C-alpha cells in the first residue's frame, strides 16, 4: 500500500529529498499644587472671567455640552489622532522593511514566512476576496480553534484562485485567525517567482510526508484531491467532482489523528469558463492543459481577467479520525469508505448551494 500514502494532486508522486529541515532564523509622582500646611490654595478668577464650577455643583454645571463636542469633531483632537495613526503605520512599515533588508525574520522548515504572509500577501489577496468575488463563508466554526485538521475541498476555475481565496477565508473569518497550509502540485514549485511566493505563503508539496508533519505540528492543512482533473475540467462538467484518487489524504489524516473537514466552493467554476483545451500547445509548454475561454487568448492579457462571480465557501461537519487504531491507515477498505464519505458530502453541499444561489454574479 505504498502508493496510498501519497496524496494525489494530478498524478501520484512522492516527495524527493524530503529530509527533515530545521527551522531557521534569517539574520543579518508629581508634586502637588497645595500649600505647605496641607490646605489648598485659593483659586482666583482671571480678569473678565469666572471661577470654574465645582464638581459638586452637579452634572448640569460640569461643562457646556456643546462646546467640547465641537472641539472633538472639528478641533485639534481629530487631526492629532489621524496623524498619530499614520505615524504608527509608517513606523511599522519602515520596521518591516528594515527586517526584510537585514534578514531579521523567521521562516519554518518548509519556508513559510508568517510575517510576509500576514502583512503583504494576505493584504494583497483580501480585496480580491472581499470586493471582487465577495466571498461568503459558512460553517467556519467547524474548523477547530487549535490542533491539526485537514480541509478537503473541490478544485475548479482553470487557474487555482480557489486555493488562495480559501486561504483568505480561513484566516479572516476564523476567531483564532488560523493559517491554512495548502498542499500544491509540483508544477507550482517549478515555476519561477511563483515557487518562492508559494513557499513564503505556507504552501508545500502535495505528499504524505509533508502533510503528516504539518498536521502533527497542529497546523490546518488544505488539500484538493481532484488536482488538475478538477481545475482543468471543461465548463460543461462544472460542479461535478472528479475522481479523488486512492485516498492518500485519508491515510495521512488517520496517521496524524486529525479530523477531516469537507469544504465546498461555489463560484470558482465560472471565473474562466473553459470551452476548449489546446493539448498540443500544452505539451509544448509542459502544462497539464492550455485553456481556451470566451475571452482568452482572443483578448490577450485582458482575457486573463477573471469574471467577478459571487463565491460561497462552506465548511462541513468534521469527520473525526482519532478513534481508529494505528493500523487503520493501512486498511484499503476503510480509506475507500472515508474517501467516498468526504466526496459525497462535498458534492451534496455543492448541489445545495447551487439551488440556493440566486445568480452567478449576485
Amino acid at each position: 500500500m505504498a502508493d496510498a500514502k501519497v496524496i494525489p494532486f494530478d498524478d501520484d508522486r512522492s516527495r524527493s529529498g524530503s529530509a527533515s529541515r530545521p527551522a531557521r532564523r534569517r539574520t543579518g509622582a508629581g508634586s502637588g499644587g497645595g500649600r505647605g500646611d496641607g490646605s489648598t490654595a485659593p483659586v482666583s478668577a482671571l480678569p473678565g472671567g469666572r471661577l470654574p464650577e465645582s464638581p459638586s455643583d452637579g452634572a448640569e454645571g460640569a461643562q457646556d455640552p456643546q462646546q467640547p463636542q465641537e472641539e472633538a469633531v472639528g478641533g485639534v483632537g481629530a487631526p492629532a489622532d489621524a496623524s498619530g495613526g499614520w505615524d504608527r503605520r509608517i513606523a511599522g512599515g519602515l520596521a518591516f522593511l528594515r527586517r526584510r533588508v537585514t534578514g531579521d525574520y523567521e521562516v519554518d522548515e518548509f519556508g513559510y514566512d508568517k510575517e510576509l504572509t500576514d502583512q503583504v500577501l494576505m493584504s494583497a489577496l483580501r480585496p480580491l476576496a472581499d470586493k471582487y468575488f465577495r466571498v461568503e463563508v459558512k460553517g467556519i466554526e467547524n474548523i477547530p480553534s487549535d490542533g491539526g485538521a485537514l480541509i478537503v475541498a473541490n478544485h475548479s476555475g482553470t487557474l487555482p484562485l480557489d486555493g488562495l481565496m480559501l486561504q483568505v477565508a480561513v484566516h479572516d473569518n476564523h476567531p483564532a485567525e488560523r493559517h491554512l497550509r495548502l498542499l500544491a502540485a509540483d508544477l507550482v514549485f517549478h515555476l519561477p517567482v511563483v515557487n518562492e511566493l508559494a513557499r513564503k505563503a505556507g504552501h508545500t508539496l502535495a505528499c504524505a510526508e509533508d502533510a503528516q508533519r504539518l498536521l502533527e505540528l497542529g497546523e490546518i492543512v488544505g488539500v484538493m484531491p481532484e488536482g488538475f482533473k478538477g481545475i482543468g475540467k471543461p465548463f460543461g462538467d462544472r460542479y461535478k467532482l472528479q475522481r479523488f484518487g486512492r485516498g492518500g489524504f485519508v491515510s495521512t489524516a488517520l496517521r496524524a489523528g486529525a479530523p477531516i473537514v469537507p469544504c465546498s466552493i461555489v463560484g470558482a467554476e465560472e471565473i474562466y469558463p473553459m470551452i476548449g483545451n489546446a493539448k498540443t500547445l500544452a505539451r509544448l509548454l509542459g502544462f497539464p492543459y492550455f485553456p481556451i475561454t470566451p475571452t482568452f487568448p482572443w483578448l490577450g492579457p485582458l482575457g486573463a481577467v477573471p469574471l467577478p462571480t459571487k463565491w460561497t465557501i462552506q465548511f462541513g461537519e468534521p469527520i473525526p479520525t482519532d478513534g481508529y487504531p494505528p493500523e487503520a491507515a493501512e486498511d484499503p477498505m476503510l480509506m475507500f469508505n472515508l474517501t467516498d464519505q468526504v466526496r459525497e458530502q462535498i458534492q451534496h453541499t455543492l448541489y445545495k448551494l447551487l439551488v440556493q444561489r440566486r445568480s452567478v454574479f449576485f
Side-chain angles (χ1 to χ4, degrees):
M1 293 302 301
D3 290 339
K5 299 177 183 178
V6 178
I7 295 178
F9 201 86
D10 68 308
D11 57 357
D12 295 327
R13 63 179 68 79
S14 61
R15 182 171 183 253
S16 59
S18 59
S20 176
R21 297 177 294 252
R24 56 190 184 275
R25 180 178 178 88
R26 303 295 297 270
T27 60
S31 60
R35 302 166 63 180
D37 57 0
S39 62
T40 304
V43 180
S44 301
L46 293 174
R50 63 187 179 91
L51 289 173
E53 297 179 359
S54 171
S56 61
D57 293 341
E60 297 86 352
Q63 60 183 13
D64 186 355
Q66 290 189 353
Q67 185 170 353
Q69 292 178 1
E70 293 173 354
E71 292 180 355
V73 174
V76 180
D81 292 343
S83 176
W86 278 108
D87 288 346
R88 286 192 295 271
R89 291 184 182 182
I90 294 173
L94 292 176
F96 172 78
L97 292 176
R98 182 176 63 252
R99 288 191 296 272
R100 308 315 295 186
V101 171
T102 60
D104 187 19
Y105 58 92
E106 294 183 355
V107 296
D108 70 2
E109 58 187 283
F110 298 96
Y112 172 51
D113 189 332
K114 184 178 182 300
E115 183 185 48
L116 182 68
T117 300
D118 284 346
Q119 299 195 24
V120 178
L121 301 182
M122 297 295 288
S123 298
L125 293 172
R126 192 168 289 118
L128 189 63
D130 294 345
K131 305 300 182 181
Y132 196 77
F133 294 132
R134 295 146 291 148
V135 178
E136 179 183 1
V137 179
K138 300 180 179 181
I140 193 69
E141 67 277 2
N142 290 318
I143 300 177
S145 298
D146 52 28
L150 183 66
I151 296 179
V152 183
N154 58 306
H155 205 15
S156 63
T158 305
L159 292 180
L161 294 181
D162 53 354
L164 299 177
M165 296 301 100
L166 181 60
Q167 190 173 9
V168 176
V170 171
H171 179 267
D172 286 3
N173 292 274
H174 198 280
E177 296 185 349
R178 303 208 65 180
H179 288 271
L180 179 66
R181 308 292 294 272
L182 286 170
L183 304 179
D186 53 0
L187 176 62
V188 173
F189 303 103
H190 293 160
L191 298 174
V193 181
V194 174
N195 170 28
E196 187 68 18
L197 289 176
R199 288 288 185 187
K200 295 288 187 182
H203 306 175
T204 190
L205 190 64
C207 70
E209 292 85 356
D210 280 2
Q212 183 175 345
R213 172 67 174 157
L214 288 170
L215 289 173
E216 290 173 347
L217 290 173
E219 299 284 355
I220 300 294
V221 179
V223 62
M224 296 172 166
E226 292 176 281
F228 290 123
K229 299 186 300 292
I231 195 175
K233 64 178 176 287
F235 187 66
D237 293 335
R238 60 192 180 278
Y239 298 114
K240 297 177 182 178
L241 293 183
Q242 305 299 300
R243 182 172 173 265
F244 265 25
R246 292 190 289 269
F249 68 90
V250 172
S251 175
T252 302
L254 287 169
R255 293 179 186 279
I260 300 174
V261 181
C263 176
S264 302
I265 304 174
V266 167
E269 294 274 15
E270 295 90 359
I271 60 173
Y272 295 112
M274 185 170 166
I275 59 177
N277 180 14
K279 296 182 179 180
T280 302
L281 186 57
R283 283 195 298 268
L284 291 175
L285 296 175
F287 295 157
Y289 56 89
F290 189 88
I292 297 176
T293 74
T295 59
F296 182 82
W298 325 114
L299 300 182
L302 187 61
V305 177
L307 297 179
T309 59
K310 174 72 171 63
W311 288 36
T312 301
I313 299 179
Q314 179 161 338
F315 300 97
E317 291 284 341
I319 301 173
T321 63
D322 53 355
Y324 294 96
E327 59 272 14
E330 303 293 339
D331 186 347
M333 187 56 65
L334 176 62
M335 286 192 296
F336 175 80
N337 290 335
L338 287 177
T339 301
D340 191 59
Q341 179 183 351
V342 174
R343 187 179 182 278
E344 287 300 319
Q345 187 169 339
I346 295 174
Q347 184 69 81
H348 176 74
T349 305
L350 286 175
Y351 288 149
K352 183 176 67 174
L353 292 174
L354 288 172
V355 170
Q356 297 173 351
R357 183 169 68 168
R358 296 179 302 169
S359 167
V360 173
F361 299 102
F362 304 102

